Amino acid sequence: MNFDTASLRINATRLGDRLHELGQIGATADGICRLALSAEDGAGRDLVLRWMRELGLSVSIDAIGNVVGVCPGTESGPPVMTGSHIDTVRTGGYYDGNLGVLAGLEVIQTLHEAGIQTRRSLAVAFFTNEEGARFNPDMMGSLVYVGGMALDAALSTVGIDGATVGECLERIGYAGQEPCGQPRVQSYVELHVEQGPVLEAEGFHIGAVEGVQGISWTEFSVLGVSNHAGTTPMRLRHDAGYVACAVAHQARQIASEMGGNQVATVGAVQLSPNLVNVIPYKAVLTVDLRNTDEAALQLAEQRLHRFARDIASAEGVTLSSRQLARFEPVDFDPDSISLVEATAKNLGLRVKRMPSGAGHDAQMLARVCPTAMIFVPSAGGISHNMKEFTSPADLEAGANVLLHTLLRLAS
Ligand code: HGY
Ligand code: MN
Ligand code: MN
């Protein structure tokens, strides 16, 4: 390629328009809801697939529903890949995942319009069930893609509503024929909103992400005895709800006492029969623990499980637990991180090296190829919330860093 590509820039208006159009699919009063493999996810997939085909990408759908669009380079060989996810939580925003996929398409279109064909092929992907909100674990599609989870285990996973991944893939028409893990990738770069407060608070435009913190998701089930809320003396109670709430409180205590990067979240609690005047006989709660330090994360897990066992025994209830997700901290490729950092500086942007608090498909691709991420600021650090916002200028800056990072990797 003998172009001076330094002055090349993406079309920010077109990127913003696509983000807005995709964001209409699954829009609710509480935010964007395109839970993995739902009808809304299927409609979002159809739209992005249409854009991929309009760009002339050769599109493949694998057996777990991952979608990869490839733009051929002047030479054969493994592509340089970018992408992310387009499934959302129930209260999703416009940018989480969607930005990485649509900025990838914008890069391809910008290169087409400039008449540039890179030496290596370029691929844009979206992976199935990154959020893990409906089917555990999160990053399921990219985990299968890199061989970290057996396809059968993923397909037979039962979601929070009782349906399996396989059934839902068939229902939305994305049970692909391609084997998972194709094409093998030369390198991977993902653009994503930070979803935290750091870049905005410290006045940076770009995050050169050094890695992803460890993630531990546990579901606790507590079985006690339902009884009358008024007539049952406290000493005779076996209150599942009390134990669940105590575990939830202790999760917060552990994070507060440990400090550092330790975080703890109880996102889901179900009580049965969930009535004002009945002592709950059953409680199910999820605990999300994360830390950049694996040893500290294990310590938090041990403290939580020990507390849960002790309080369940004291209350005379039965406790069981199952691991919903467990990923150790991941470090990205140092050269790729430096490339993101240098590219941002060359574009006159203030860039900060930082870890990711959220999980991402990139942490799975890092198992098989040199991988990096580019962050752009989240207003107020808000995400997984309909108020998620990143300014058009920041979106444009991030997409231009992606453009020039991919150009370097694919040339
Ligand atoms: O949970 C996460 O960090 C990601 O949003 N799946
Ligand atoms: Mn995401
Ligand atoms: Mn998310």
Side-chain angles (χ1 to χ4, degrees), residues 91-96 192-200 376-390:
T91 54
Y94 277 100
Y95 311 101
D96 176 1
H192 204 287
V193 289
E194 177 202 339
Q195 301 180 287
V198 173
L199 292 176
E200 181 188 58
V376 289
S378 292
I382 298 288
S383 185
H384 284 188
N385 178 317
M386 63 188 293
K387 293 190 171 64
E388 180 183 86
F389 179 74
T390 295

Side-chain angles (χ1 to χ4, degrees), residues 49-93:
L49 214 65
R50 193 189 87 207
W51 284 331
M52 285 183 167
R53 289 192 168 123
E54 285 169 357
L55 283 171
L57 302 185
S58 60
V59 177
S60 63
I61 304 171
D62 74 13
I64 196 65
N66 295 320
V67 175
V68 180
V70 178
C71 174
T74 55
E75 293 180 12
S76 61
V80 171
M81 180 182 273
T82 188
S84 191
H85 62 96
I86 60 169
D87 65 301
T88 73
V89 293
R90 277 209 184 98
T91 54

Side-chain angles (χ1 to χ4, degrees), residues 225-230 232 237-242 271-282:
V225 178
S226 70
N227 213 327
H228 195 296
T232 311
R237 293 182 181 217
H238 304 288
D239 184 340
Y242 158 69
L271 299 182
S272 304
N274 206 35
L275 298 172
V276 62
N277 58 354
V278 181
I279 299 169
Y281 71 90
K282 184 177 180 185

